[in-house]
């Protein structure tokens, strides 16, 4: 039985400075993410045959999970999977950081322009009430912007994420306090568009 593990960050904790500070990354990854993974493992341990599935597969089939762990998997499995994803779609800041390749084309076709897309995803992230996420994802072969509450997952809705913004306060509060708009604006500097292009092409 192979338990789920929290992957290392694909860069140093200070690599996203000054947009996301080192202390936030240390706590977000080392405490919050590890906490979700630990609680997911604790839940699945009571039905260890489920460790043969990926955590994304668990989220995709919540209705068929044993009832006693369904909510724990929804919350902590979501937290585990979403953070795995979130670290991957960020990178150290680059000049002129915009979408590339097929994703760039699809963004233009779907939203009219990159600027319009940026505006729509920003608006989605700003208007998540309480804790949650804003997503760029694929559903029925189309690009879409969505929001989810808490750790509810696009994987439970048959959607394939391409990009996300964590708007839980733990993602930004130490540096930005209550000013979520500044965190979201700065997030555009550190999106890993190479990774999103790879995800889109899959
Ligand atoms: Mn988070």
């Amino acid at each position: 039985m192979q338990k789920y593990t929290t992957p290392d960050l694909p860069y140093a904790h200070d690599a996203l400075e000054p947009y996301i500070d080192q202390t936030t990354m240390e706590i977000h990854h080392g405490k919050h993410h590890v906490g979700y993974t630990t609680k997911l493992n604790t839940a699945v341990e009571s039905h260890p045959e489920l460790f043969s599935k990926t955590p994304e597969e668990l989220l995709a089939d919540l209705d068929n999970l044993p009832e006693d762990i369904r909510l724990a998997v929804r919350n902590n499995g979501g937290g585990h999977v979403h953070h795995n994803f979130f670290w991957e779609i960020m990178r150290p800041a680059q000049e002129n950081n915009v979408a590339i390749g097929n994703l760039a084309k699809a963004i233009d076709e779907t939203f009219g322009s990159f600027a319009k897309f940026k505006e729509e995803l920003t608006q989605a992230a700003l208007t998540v009430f309480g804790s949650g996420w804003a997503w760029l994802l694929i559903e029925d072969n189309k690009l879409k912007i969505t929001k989810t509450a808490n750790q509810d997952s696009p994987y439970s809705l048959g959607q394939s994420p391409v990009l996300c913004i964590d708007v839980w306060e733990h993602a930004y509060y130490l540096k930005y306090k209550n000013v979520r708009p500044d965190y979201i604006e700065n997030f555009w500097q550190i999106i890993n568009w190479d990774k999103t292009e790879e995800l889109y092409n899959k």
Side-chain angles (χ1 to χ4, degrees):
M1 159 186 109
Q2 185 69 47
K3 288 195 204 176
Y4 304 117
T5 54
T6 308
D8 291 337
L9 289 178
Y11 34 71
H13 288 95
D14 63 358
L16 306 179
E17 292 266 10
Y19 303 109
I20 300 182
D21 60 288
Q22 175 171 353
T23 306
T24 294
M25 289 301 288
E26 285 168 356
I27 296 171
H28 199 173
H29 177 259
K31 303 292 183 194
H32 292 281
H33 190 176
V34 166
Y36 290 123
T37 309
T38 303
K39 288 178 192 158
L40 173 64
N41 281 325
T42 301
V44 175
E45 268 161 20
S46 60
H47 302 274
E49 70 283 357
L50 290 172
F51 280 118
S52 65
K53 294 184 187 284
T54 67
E56 289 86 352
E57 287 170 339
L58 299 180
L59 292 173
D61 201 18
L62 285 176
D63 288 347
N64 285 316
L65 288 182
E67 214 256 319
D68 60 315
I69 65 166
R70 195 174 297 148
L71 184 61
V73 171
R74 176 174 159 184
N75 289 336
N76 297 296
H80 169 70
V81 162
H82 300 160
H83 289 90
N84 288 353
F85 186 89
F86 185 55
W87 313 133
E88 292 288 329
I89 56 87
M90 297 189 288
R91 67 180 172 195
Q94 298 194 358
E95 291 286 311
N96 189 29
N97 195 35
V98 294
I100 58 166
N102 292 325
L103 178 60
K105 270 184 228 152
I107 284 174
D108 285 347
E109 281 163 19
T110 308
F111 303 100
S113 65
F114 186 81
K116 194 80 192 29
F117 157 70
K118 182 176 172 182
E119 203 179 299
E120 285 188 35
L121 185 59
T122 296
Q123 192 57 27
L126 281 173
T127 56
V128 172
F129 184 74
S131 297
W133 299 75
W135 303 89
L136 174 69
L137 47 75
I138 301 169
E139 183 175 45
D140 299 329
N141 291 314
K142 287 197 191 101
L143 273 184
K144 244 175 116 168
I145 290 169
T146 70
K147 305 187 261 191
T148 54
N150 303 309
Q151 297 297 357
D152 286 354
S153 186
Y155 293 100
S156 303
L157 301 169
Q159 301 164 327
S160 305
V162 174
L163 174 64
C164 64
I165 308 178
D166 186 346
V167 292
W168 281 60
E169 284 187 342
H170 69 219
Y172 64 87
Y173 205 86
L174 286 180
K175 181 178 174 73
Y176 294 95
K177 305 298 185 285
N178 59 314
V179 190
R180 190 191 285 187
D182 287 356
Y183 160 67
I184 294 168
E185 179 58 28
N186 281 340
F187 181 77
W188 292 88
Q189 304 290 331
I190 51 168
I191 295 173
N192 184 344
W193 291 109
D194 291 320
K195 185 66 187 179
T196 61
E197 171 68 355
E198 182 191 318
L199 291 162
Y200 179 74
N201 287 322
K202 263 199 279 193

